[in-house]
Amino acid sequence: MKIAKKIKAGALQYVLVISVIIAIIIFAFISLVYLQQKMTIKHGFTKEAIANVQMSFEYLKQKNIDYNTETTLNFSEDENEKEYKTTTILKKHWGIFDLGVATSKVKNEFFQKVALLGTQNKKRDALYLKENNASLVLVGKTKITGTVSIPKQGVKTGNIAGVSYYGNQLIYGLEKTSSAQLPKIKNIEFLKDFIKNYYTESTTYFELEDGLKVHQSFKENTLLFEDVNPIQLRNINLNGNILIVSKQTITVQASAKLEDVILIAPKIIIEENTIGNFQVIATKQIKVKSNVNLHYPSALILLDQDKEVQKQAQNNIQNREINQIEIQENTDIRGILVYESENKQSNYDAQIKIAEKVQITGEVYCAKNTELQGTIYGSVFTNNFIIKKSGRVYVNHIYNGVINAKELPNQYAGLQINQFSNQVAKWVD
């Protein structure tokens, strides 16, 4: 005879609780595994999108694409993947530099990067002096290091006010013969049009005010402030995709913090002790006062559009304003200086004037006369050198100037000369 045993209700509840706990643990484990797999796939898509953007900029190094036209790239060999993988590259102008925008989407993962672009040349020359049927004359502590292209008359030593040349040799590098034309800047015609037609459909107006702080992404519309009157930039912080335009003068004071913006005016003055990273485009005059520090990649561009010799110049009136870029003492500029002129007449003024104790790391391009008493780590392209001392004008003389192409960093990307824009100069937002 079998005897039935009763199981206590508490024991059943205990078993049930244990079963539920086990089920929850199993469910949590399965969910975790699923989530990890999903995150792994998501992470893989994100990594692929980032890699595609990087490859897009590598593509730009090798290929010259049209401006303002989105180019679709395909880095996958599987035709079926094209349905959920798209990568595009867009190139636009931003002053003397270009702007590259690379975008990649893999499934639902999206990645985009924007960069200022310039031209990189690892075999950069120190000097290109246009053939002008005159020797290059070195005086004082002048020293030129790197390959040079100079007139067929060559280079020699000189004497100014009793000061001779102190170097052990004339050129510390290879000498070549230049031609009667300076190398052309490929996007100079765009700049000439840009200063007149800077407003586009993707431009939005804004107002300047004391204490203003604005960051405008290059993925958004360009912000524009323009005025027919002089503009004083002080106690403001402007960063990114911003244009400031005056029909007269723009003055940048040390209290203004500018990053990546462009300034356009006939005359632009950068006051003492200013620190920033921006582009300046003028048509009459650019004056950079002492102790200014402009970080890479900055640019000072003067597009002199006076086709006729000014009457003041013809009459030799004293204290007249000269269309020039003037860099005063103890200033450090990292980037580009350009003076371009439609006036073909000769003169005895300095169109780019670089004072003592000035250091420029980058490129100096002058379609007329350059006065060099400071130091340039990089390249100089010029029609002539000129110096005024002791009441006399010395043509094609360099007095205490230093040019050293070997001190320019290999990563430097600048003027579009002999090549198209292809190298990242700076990542921007």
Side-chain angles (χ1 to χ4, degrees):
M1 178 177 175
K2 293 183 179 180
I3 302 173
K5 294 183 180 181
K6 293 184 178 180
I7 299 175
K8 294 182 179 180
L12 291 174
Q13 290 178 347
Y14 181 76
V15 171
L16 183 61
V17 169
I18 295 297
S19 301
V20 170
I21 291 173
I22 293 172
I24 291 173
I25 292 173
I26 293 172
F27 178 78
F29 178 75
I30 294 172
S31 299
L32 180 61
V33 170
Y34 174 77
L35 181 61
Q36 286 180 331
Q37 290 178 340
K38 188 174 181 179
M39 291 299 295
T40 300
I41 295 171
K42 178 183 175 69
H43 181 64
F45 288 157
T46 301
K47 285 180 63 177
E48 186 173 357
I50 293 171
N52 288 343
V53 165
Q54 292 298 118
M55 286 190 289
S56 298
F57 282 101
E58 291 297 321
Y59 178 88
L60 273 181
K61 293 181 182 181
Q62 308 297 330
K63 303 291 183 179
N64 188 16
I65 66 174
D66 294 334
Y67 286 97
N68 302 316
T69 301
E70 200 169 65
T71 302
T72 300
L73 305 176
N74 180 28
F75 300 114
S76 175
E77 296 180 357
D78 189 341
E79 292 293 325
N80 295 325
E81 293 183 349
K82 291 182 179 180
E83 297 180 1
Y84 63 92
K85 295 181 180 180
T86 57
T87 302
T88 61
I89 188 78
L90 176 67
K91 186 170 73 171
K92 303 186 289 186
H93 291 284
W94 186 247
I96 195 73
F97 297 98
D98 285 342
L99 200 66
V101 183
T103 304
S104 182
K105 186 176 181 181
V106 180
K107 286 286 187 178
N108 294 323
E109 304 309 310
F110 175 87
F111 189 74
Q112 185 178 62
K113 289 198 78 171
V114 185
L116 289 178
L117 307 172
T119 294
Q120 189 179 71
N121 187 350
K122 294 184 178 180
K123 296 182 179 179
R124 194 177 297 278
D125 290 352
L127 172 63
Y128 192 102
L129 176 61
K130 194 181 84 170
E131 171 61 70
N132 49 27
N133 299 314
S135 301
L136 172 62
V137 184
L138 309 182
V139 183
K141 298 178 182 179
T142 295
K143 185 175 182 180
I144 302 176
T145 304
T147 300
V148 300
S149 295
I150 55 178
K152 58 180 178 293
Q153 286 76 12
V155 59
K156 63 182 183 181
T157 63
N159 187 293
I160 295 178
V163 178
S164 301
Y165 178 63
Y166 300 138
N168 296 321
Q169 64 187 75
L170 294 175
I171 302 295
Y172 295 82
L174 179 66
E175 295 181 34
K176 300 187 292 186
T177 301
S178 61
S179 69
Q181 299 292 330
L182 285 176
K184 294 296 183 183
I185 300 173
K186 294 196 172 185
N187 56 346
I188 200 70
E189 295 303 320
F190 160 77
L191 288 174
K192 292 177 182 179
D193 179 70
F194 176 63
I195 59 176
K196 301 173 184 177
N197 302 299
Y198 46 82
Y199 181 85
T200 66
E201 293 180 354
S202 60
T203 302
T204 302
Y205 286 101
F206 79 111
E207 291 296 324
L208 286 178
E209 57 186 30
D210 192 57
L212 181 67
K213 185 175 182 180
V214 176
H215 170 79
Q216 183 71 357
S217 172
F218 283 96
K219 302 167 188 175
E220 300 172 354
N221 286 353
T222 299
L223 293 182
L224 168 65
F225 176 81
E226 61 178 342
D227 201 329
V228 296
N229 299 310
I231 296 174
Q232 290 274 348
L233 296 178
R234 60 175 179 265
N235 299 320
I236 59 173
N237 190 322
L238 303 179
N239 184 309
N241 190 11
I242 300 172
L243 280 175
I244 308 293
V245 182
S246 170
K247 301 301 181 183
Q248 296 187 41
T249 304
I250 296 176
T251 301
V252 182
Q253 297 191 5
S255 61
K257 307 303 178 185
L258 306 180
E259 180 103 9
D260 300 325
V261 306
I262 296 179
L263 312 180
I264 301 175
K267 183 176 180 180
I268 298 176
I269 301 168
I270 303 175
E271 295 286 3
E272 294 180 356
N273 302 312
T274 297
I275 299 174
N277 163 212
F278 51 91
Q279 296 187 60
V280 163
I281 308 176
T283 56
K284 296 291 184 183
Q285 191 178 66
I286 298 172
K287 180 176 288 188
V288 182
K289 296 189 178 180
S290 60
N291 298 303
V292 169
N293 192 331
L294 299 183
H295 301 151
Y296 176 77
S298 292
L300 306 176
I301 304 154
L302 200 155
L303 304 175
D304 187 352
Q305 298 178 333
D306 289 344
K307 296 183 179 181
E308 303 294 334
V309 178
Q310 296 179 1
K311 291 182 180 179
Q312 287 182 331
Q314 293 172 332
N315 297 332
N316 195 27
I317 294 177
Q318 297 296 319
N319 300 321
R320 60 188 171 86
E321 284 198 338
I322 302 168
N323 289 4
Q324 70 174 187
I325 301 174
E326 179 186 0
I327 314 296
Q328 296 183 359
E329 292 185 356
N330 298 312
T331 285
D332 187 335
I333 298 173
R334 305 191 176 207
I336 295 170
L337 271 67
V338 172
Y339 173 90
E340 177 66 26
S341 177
E342 297 180 7
N343 181 356
K344 304 303 180 183
Q345 298 293 326
S346 300
N347 63 70
Y348 296 101
D349 297 315
Q351 277 66 54
I352 292 184
K353 186 175 183 179
I354 301 171
E356 298 176 8
K357 300 178 183 178
V358 169
Q359 179 177 303
I360 296 171
T361 304
E363 296 162 291
V364 174
Y365 184 102
C366 183
K368 287 192 175 294
N369 302 322
T370 301
E371 179 181 319
L372 175 60
Q373 297 187 74
T375 298
I376 298 173
Y377 295 134
S379 302
V380 178
F381 304 83
T382 188
N383 181 72
N384 273 313
F385 286 102
I386 201 163
I387 186 76
K388 295 181 180 180
K389 289 285 185 181
S390 303
R392 296 186 60 185
V393 178
Y394 297 86
V395 178
N396 251 15
H397 284 58
I398 304 179
Y399 184 82
N400 290 338
V402 174
I403 307 172
N404 191 335
K406 295 183 179 180
E407 291 296 321
L408 185 67
N410 290 332
Q411 296 82 7
Y412 174 85
L415 286 174
Q416 295 184 35
I417 294 179
N418 300 326
Q419 299 181 44
F420 50 82
S421 177
N422 56 5
Q423 180 66 33
V424 173
K426 178 185 179 182
W427 296 108
V428 294
D429 181 17

